[in-house]
Amino acid sequence: MNLRPRLIAALAIFVGMALVPPVAAALGDPFLTVIASRMLVFAIAALSLDLILGYGAMVSFGHAAYVGVGAYAVAIGARFGVTDLLAQMALGALMSAAFALVTGAISLRTRGVYFIMITLAFAQMAFFFFVSQSSLGGDDGVALTARSTLLSTDVLESDIAFFYTILAVLVLCYGGLYRLTNARFGRVLTGTRENPLRMQAIGYRPFPYQLTAYVIAACIASVAGVLLANQTEYVSPAYMAWSRSGELIVMLVLGGIGTLTGAMAGALITVGLEHTFAAWSEHWRLGFGLLLVLVVLFSPDGITGLLKRLGVGPRHD
Amino acid sequence: MTEPLLQVRALRKSFGALAVTDDVSLSVTEGELHAIIGPNGAGKTTLISQLSGQLAPDSGTILYDGAPITRLDMAARVRRGLARSFQITALLPGMSVLENVSLAVQARSGSSYRFWRPVADDAALSQEAMQALDEVGLADRAHRPARALSHGEQRQLELAVALATKPRLLLLDEPLAGTGGQEAEVLISLMRRLKDRLTIVLIEHDMGAVFALADRVSVLVYGQIAASGTPGDIRADPKVRAAYLGEEEEGTPDA
Ligand SMILES: Nc1ncnc2c1ncn2[C@@H]1O[C@H](COP(=O)(O)OP(=O)(O)O)[C@@H](O)[C@H]1O
Ligand SMILES: [Mg+2]
C-alpha cells in the first residue's frame, strides 16, 4: 500500500515547521519562532477537538476549557513545587480527564444543539470557577515566573528548544491520533458519527466509546494548555472563554473537519494570519470572516477538500 | 414439540391515541420463515422495532430462546443472535462497503477498545466481512463507499451487514423495498438460501416472494394479527382477501 497523501501532507507540515527556527535566524527575526510556537500549540488543540468533533460528530463548544485547565495546571503545579513540564502535563491531563469524565457523561445524554449548549455551559462554569480564584489572580490571571523545567533542566527557557519541544509533542499527538482513528476504536467512533442507530443494530453501545474519545480529547487539549501557558508565560481565565472554543471550531472549519491534517493546517493558518494581519489592521478579522465564508461556501471540506479537488491534497480520512 | 425460538405475548404499543401494536401474540419456530404482511401503516415496522429493541413496548413480553428479552437493548439482543435489517436503508454512507460489514464482525469479535493496530491490517475481520459480501454478491464492490452503491446494492448490503452479526433469528423489514426485476431476484434467491440455516421473520409487500418463501404467514391489520397460518390458508382466507390481498391488487406497495 502506498503512503497515503494525507500522511505526506502532514509530514510536509512537520518538516516545514521544523525549518522555521533556522529561517528565522537567517532573517534575523527571532519573533517568527515565537509565533510559530503558538501556531503549533493551537495545532495540538485543534487536533484534539477534531477527534471528537470531526471523527465523533460531538460538536463541543467548550473545548477551550480543557486548554485552560492545562494552563492552570502549570500555575497550580508551580505553586506546589511541580515545575517539570511532563509532570505538569500529567497533572493537567488528570484534572481535565476528571472534568471531562463527569461533564462528558452528562453532555452525551443530549444530542445536536443541546450538546453544543451544555458543553458551552460547562466551559463557562470552569471559566467562572477560575475567575473566582483570587489566589490564582482571579479575572486577571497570574504571570509565571519562569517556564517549566524539562527533566530538571531549564532548556525550555530557550525559545528554540521550546519550539522543538512543542513540535515533538505535536508529532506525537498526530501519530497517536492517526493510529487511533485507523484502529478498531476509531472505526467505532466514525461509524457512530455516520449512523448511531446502525451501530446499535450491529451490537454496539456508542456511549462509552464517545465518552472515552471525549476524555482523550480533553487530555490532549490540556497538554496544549500546558504548552500555551509556557509560551505566553501567563495563565488566565481568558484561555477558556467561549470565544476561544469558537476559534478552535473555526480552525477545523477552515482546515477541514474530520481530517487530522486539515485540523493542523487550519490552526497554523488561523494563528499565522492572526499575527500577520493584526499588525496591519485592527479590522483583519473582517477579512478573515470573509475567507471563512468563502471556504464554507465553496469547499465545505476546508482547505483539505480544496487541495483534494486540485488533486494534490490528502484524501478524506 | 419444541419450544418456539421467538414468542411474543400480548404486545402493546401506542403512539398517543393510536394503538400501533394492539395485543399482538406470535410465535416463530426455529428454522421457519415467518412472513408478516399487512397494509401500509398496519404497524409492521413498529413491531420489528420492538422485537429488535429499538422501541420499548408499553406492555407485553418477548421471549427469545426461552428467556425474556423485553428489557434488553438492541446491542444485547444482537449479541444473542437477533439481527434486523431496516426498511429504510440505514448504512454508514461515508464508509466503504467492506467497513460497513467488518464493523459488524468487529462488534462480536474481541474488544473495540484497541487504539493502535490499524483495523485494515486485521485479516480475520476482513475475511469474515468478505464472506458475507460474497454471500450477497457484493464482493466486487467491497472498496466502494456505501453511498456510491445503487439502491438495489444498498439493499444487498443491508442484508450482508445483518448476516455479519452471525444471527440465529433474522428480522427483515421489506428487504425488497424499492428493488425491481433482477435486483429482487438476487435478493429472493439469497433469502431462499438463508432460510435453510436461519430463522427468519420477513415483512414483505411482494406477495409473490412471500408465498414462495414463507412457511407461515401472519396478517397484521391495524396493529392486530388478523390471521395466521400456512401460505395456503392465508391465500384462501376470505377475511384476508377482503382486508388485504384485494387491496394489494389495486396495489400501492410501501415506498
Ligand atoms: N415514532 C412514531 N411516532 C408516531 N407515530 C408513529 C411512529 N412510528 C410509526 N408511527 C405510526 O404508526 C403506524 C404504523 O407504522 P409502521 O409500523 O411504520 O407501519 P408499517 O411498517 O406497517 O407500514 C403508522 O400510522 C405510523 O404513522
Ligand atoms: Mg414499514
Side-chain angles (χ1 to χ4, degrees):
Chain A
M1 201 159 109
N2 61 333
L3 259 183
R4 307 229 179 98
R6 63 193 156 111
L7 213 67
I8 296 172
L11 276 174
I13 288 176
F14 299 142
V15 172
M17 291 306 287
L19 294 175
V20 169
V23 169
L27 294 174
D29 186 1
F31 192 58
L32 272 184
T33 304
V34 175
I35 295 170
S37 298
R38 194 175 169 81
M39 289 161 72
L40 294 179
V41 169
F42 279 96
I44 297 170
L47 271 184
S48 70
L49 179 60
D50 198 31
L51 175 66
I52 52 174
L53 196 156
Y55 288 86
M58 294 172 260
V59 183
S60 166
F61 205 159
H63 203 57
Y66 301 104
V67 178
V69 168
Y72 273 99
V74 177
I76 296 167
R79 182 147 309 175
F80 293 100
V82 180
T83 58
D84 188 80
L85 186 79
L86 301 177
Q88 289 172 342
M89 283 177 175
L91 178 64
L94 217 65
M95 286 167 29
S96 274
F99 189 52
L101 201 62
V102 174
T103 64
I106 297 168
S107 306
L108 282 169
R109 302 285 170 196
T110 69
R111 292 276 163 271
V113 95
Y114 298 102
F115 185 83
I116 300 177
M117 292 195 296
I118 198 163
T119 50
L120 172 66
F122 280 127
Q124 289 299 93
M125 268 177 52
F127 175 85
F128 286 114
F129 173 79
F130 284 105
V131 163
S132 70
Q133 298 303 304
S134 46
S135 66
L136 289 166
D139 217 351
D140 295 330
V142 54
L144 302 176
T145 50
R147 283 202 178 135
S148 306
T149 54
L150 184 58
L151 309 172
S152 308
T153 68
D154 59 359
V155 283
L156 298 180
E157 292 298 338
S158 147
D159 281 340
I160 293 179
F162 182 50
F163 173 88
Y164 284 113
T165 305
I166 305 173
L167 183 59
V169 174
L170 174 65
V171 171
L172 284 177
C173 288
Y174 170 81
L177 288 174
Y178 181 86
R179 297 293 299 219
L180 180 152
T181 50
N182 285 293
R184 280 179 166 227
F185 181 81
R187 287 297 151 96
V188 175
L189 202 58
T190 327
T192 304
R193 169 189 75 194
E194 296 280 314
N195 189 343
L197 176 62
R198 162 52 71 193
M199 293 300 280
Q200 289 169 53
I202 56 178
Y204 293 98
R205 293 191 183 98
F207 176 80
Y209 297 99
Q210 292 179 311
L211 185 59
T212 304
Y214 192 77
V215 170
I216 291 173
C219 291
I220 297 176
S222 73
V223 165
V226 168
L227 295 167
L228 181 65
N230 275 284
Q231 197 264 326
T232 56
E233 301 187 43
Y234 199 83
V235 176
S236 103
Y239 293 170
M240 36 180 103
W242 64 269
S243 55
R244 290 304 183 96
S245 296
E247 278 167 23
L248 289 175
I249 297 177
V250 163
M251 291 171 187
L252 295 193
V253 170
L254 184 67
I257 290 171
T259 64
L260 298 174
T261 312
M264 292 193 291
L268 298 181
I269 293 169
T270 308
V271 179
L273 287 179
E274 186 174 298
H275 279 271
T276 316
F277 290 108
W280 286 5
S281 155
E282 290 191 352
H283 304 299
W284 77 275
R285 277 179 193 280
L286 193 62
F288 185 68
L290 193 66
L291 173 69
L292 206 61
V293 169
L294 291 176
V295 165
V296 171
L297 281 181
F298 294 106
S299 181
D301 292 334
I303 307 272
T304 345
L306 201 66
L307 293 177
K308 176 177 144 194
R309 238 170 293 163
L310 298 174
V312 291
R315 239 190 294 277
H316 193 82
D317 350 22
Chain B
M1 195 187 139
T2 57
E3 195 177 347
L5 181 60
L6 180 75
Q7 245 181 307
V8 179
R9 290 185 190 153
L11 207 65
R12 291 179 187 274
K13 174 84 188 170
S14 301
F15 293 119
L18 183 69
V20 180
T21 305
D22 191 0
D23 195 18
V24 167
S25 295
L26 189 75
S27 66
V28 180
T29 315
E30 177 119 54
E32 84 174 351
L33 190 149
H34 194 123
I36 298 175
I37 61 175
N40 275 334
K44 303 181 297 295
T45 297
T46 306
L47 178 59
I48 290 279
S49 295
Q50 293 168 84
L51 299 182
S52 67
Q54 187 187 340
L55 278 178
D58 298 337
S59 64
T61 317
I62 304 166
L63 294 168
Y64 171 77
D65 200 12
I69 56 164
T70 325
R71 303 271 157 252
L72 297 181
D73 69 0
M74 256 198 279
R77 295 185 201 195
V78 176
R79 284 174 208 168
R80 280 171 175 68
L82 205 158
R84 77 168 288 183
S85 76
F86 291 89
Q87 177 179 357
I88 303 191
T89 306
L91 299 167
L92 311 169
M95 300 176 88
S96 76
V97 169
L98 184 64
E99 281 172 323
N100 268 270
V101 183
S102 70
L103 260 171
V105 180
Q106 181 182 318
R108 60 173 167 77
S109 57
S111 168
S112 283
Y113 290 97
R114 295 194 198 157
F115 301 89
W116 194 250
R117 186 166 165 224
V119 74
D121 295 354
D122 199 329
L125 281 190
S126 314
Q127 231 163 22
E128 275 205 62
M130 280 309 291
Q131 273 170 18
L133 285 176
D134 228 5
E135 187 144 30
V136 304
L138 274 182
D140 58 332
R141 296 284 190 274
H143 298 288
R144 296 265 184 97
R147 70 158 65 88
L149 296 184
S150 73
H151 178 78
E153 289 171 333
Q154 293 194 354
R155 302 306 298 170
Q156 284 166 267
L157 182 52
E158 269 282 336
L159 265 175
V161 172
L163 287 177
T165 66
K166 278 258 160 78
R168 203 169 143 198
L169 173 60
L170 195 53
L171 309 169
L172 301 177
D173 194 355
E174 299 201 27
L176 303 180
T179 63
Q182 180 66 40
E183 288 170 344
E185 286 303 316
V186 172
L187 291 168
I188 290 171
S189 69
L190 172 62
M191 283 188 274
R192 187 167 288 125
R193 267 179 286 133
L194 291 178
K195 156 182 155 67
D196 292 337
R197 58 170 223 251
L198 296 174
T199 309
I200 299 178
V201 172
L202 170 69
I203 291 179
E204 192 42 68
H205 264 289
D206 182 325
M207 287 307 126
V210 166
F211 288 117
L213 293 169
D215 300 308
R216 290 182 71 78
V217 180
S218 291
V219 184
L220 197 67
V221 182
Y222 296 122
Q224 296 179 321
I225 303 279
S228 196
T230 64
D233 296 343
I234 295 299
R235 224 195 298 249
D237 190 321
K239 263 194 337 225
V240 175
R241 298 185 74 93
Y244 182 60
L245 293 178
E247 206 178 280
E248 182 60 26
E249 271 154 21
E250 291 151 41
T252 43
D254 237 1

